[in-house]
C-alpha cells in the first residue's frame, strides 16, 4: 500500500456510532435522516474535471434484507440505469461481520447536462454487511483512470471500520501521518476477500444487461 496521510472519522450523530480512516484532505459530510445515515467523502476530480473520486459510508436502520440480497439489488438497479458489467462478487469480513463485495463498471455521459458529453467509464465497488437489523454500505466510485490509484485507500477505510462502544462527544478528525493501520476501534478486523459458498470461482465477470 502506498503510504498516505489519513484522518480518523468518528460519528457523534449516529445512534450507532462508528469510526474509520479516510484520506487526509478529502471533504467529509455527514447526513442524518429518518431511518438512514450517511458520510459522503469527496476526493480529487479526474483529469478532465468531470467526476470526483468518492467514498460513502451509509447505514439503513431496521432492514430485513440480507447483505447478499442488498448486493444483488444494487447490481439489478444498475441494470436498469446503465449498460453495466459486474466484475466481482465475493465474500469478505468487515468489523468482524460477514460481508458481500460487488464491483461494477458502467459508462456515464459526462459532464452531466452538457450539450456534448463524453462517455466515461466508471468503476464502483460496494461492500454490504449487517449489524443486528441495520444494513451498512461502504462505497467507492471513481473513473477507470483513477480507480487503482485510490483503491488502497478504500481498503484502508474498510480495514479500519469499527463500531464504538459509546457515542463520542464530538466528531473527531484526528490526523494519521503514517500508512493506515490494520486495526482501529472496538470491532475492527481484517478486510480480506474469501470465496463465497456456491459461487465457484471467487472472481467473475458478468454482463449486467
Amino acid at each position: 500500500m502506498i503510504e498516505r496521510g489519513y484522518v480518523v472519522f468518528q460519528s457523534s450523530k449516529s445512534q450507532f456510532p462508528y469510526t474509520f480512516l479516510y484520506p487526509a484532505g478529502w471533504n467529509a459530510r455527514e447526513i442524518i435522516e429518518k431511518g438512514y445515515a450517511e458520510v459522503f467523502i469527496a476526493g480529487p476530480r479526474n483529469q478532465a474535471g468531470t467526476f470526483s473520486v468518492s467514498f460513502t459510508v451509509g447505514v439503513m436502520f431496521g432492514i430485513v434484507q440480507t447483505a447478499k440480497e442488498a448486493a444483488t439489488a444494487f447490481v439489478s438497479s444498475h441494470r436498469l440505469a446503465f449498460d453495466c458489467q459486474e466484475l466481482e462478487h465475493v465474500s469478505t469480513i468487515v468489523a468482524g461481520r460477514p460481508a458481500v463485495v460487488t464491483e461494477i463498471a458502467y459508462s456515464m455521459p459526462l459532464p452531466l447536462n452538457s450539450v456534448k458529453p463524453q462517455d466515461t467509464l466508471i468503476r464502483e465497488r460496494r461492500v454490504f454487511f449487517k449489524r443486528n437489523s441495520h444494513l451498512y454500505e461502504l462505497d467507492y466510485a471513481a473513473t477507470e483512470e483513477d480507480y487503482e490509484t485510490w483503491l488502497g485507500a478504500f481498503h484502508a477505510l474498510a480495514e479500519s471500520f469499527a463500531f464504538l462502544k459509546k457515542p463520542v462527544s464530538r466528531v473527531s478528525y484526528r490526523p494519521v501521518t503514517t500508512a493506515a493501520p490494520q486495526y482501529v476501534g472496538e470491532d475492527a478486523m481484517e478486510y480480506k476477500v474469501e470465496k463465497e459458498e456456491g459461487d465457484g470461482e471467487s472472481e467473475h465477470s458478468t454482463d449486467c444487461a
Side-chain angles (χ1 to χ4, degrees):
M1 180 187 299
I2 297 176
E3 185 167 313
R4 303 182 186 279
Y6 288 84
V7 174
V8 178
F9 182 90
Q10 294 179 349
S11 172
S12 63
K13 299 179 181 180
S14 176
Q15 182 181 358
F16 304 96
Y18 46 80
T19 182
F20 58 84
L21 298 178
Y22 69 92
W26 290 30
N27 182 34
R29 181 179 61 180
E30 188 171 22
I31 302 170
I32 306 294
E33 298 180 353
K34 185 177 180 180
Y36 182 74
E38 177 184 281
V39 181
F40 179 77
I41 309 164
R45 296 182 73 79
N46 65 334
Q47 187 173 4
T50 57
F51 191 88
S52 293
V53 175
S54 67
F55 297 160
T56 305
V57 175
V59 53
M60 292 184 288
F61 307 129
I63 301 298
V64 177
Q65 191 179 44
T66 67
K68 186 174 182 178
E69 290 169 343
T72 300
F74 167 70
V75 175
S76 296
S77 68
H78 279 69
R79 290 175 182 163
L80 300 177
F82 306 100
D83 180 17
C84 74
Q85 183 182 44
E86 185 175 28
L87 304 177
E88 188 175 45
H89 188 100
V90 294
S91 297
T92 188
I93 299 292
V94 176
R97 287 157 178 80
V100 178
V101 182
T102 184
E103 181 179 325
I104 63 174
Y106 53 90
S107 182
M108 175 183 291
L110 295 174
L112 297 175
N113 303 319
S114 171
V115 293
K116 293 183 178 180
Q118 299 293 320
D119 284 340
T120 304
L121 186 62
I122 305 298
R123 289 175 66 180
E124 191 167 351
R125 187 175 187 87
R126 189 166 295 198
V127 183
F128 299 86
F129 60 98
K130 294 195 70 175
R131 189 191 193 205
N132 300 323
S133 63
H134 310 311
L135 177 67
Y136 290 80
E137 300 179 5
L138 312 180
D139 182 66
Y140 169 40
T143 60
E144 174 68 21
E145 64 185 279
D146 292 328
Y147 185 83
E148 293 297 335
T149 300
W150 297 104
L151 181 59
F154 181 67
H155 287 321
L157 185 155
E159 290 169 359
S160 63
F161 186 95
F163 296 103
L164 299 172
K165 293 182 179 180
K166 60 182 180 179
V168 295
S169 59
R170 63 183 177 83
V171 174
S172 171
Y173 296 97
R174 293 181 285 112
V176 178
T177 56
T178 58
Q182 294 292 316
Y183 301 92
V184 174
E186 173 195 5
D187 292 325
M189 288 189 66
E190 57 191 319
Y191 174 73
K192 62 180 181 179
V193 172
E194 302 172 346
K195 184 170 70 174
E196 187 170 353
E197 293 184 5
D199 280 353
E201 296 296 325
S202 62
E203 296 186 11
H204 64 270
S205 176
T206 304
D207 291 336
C208 289

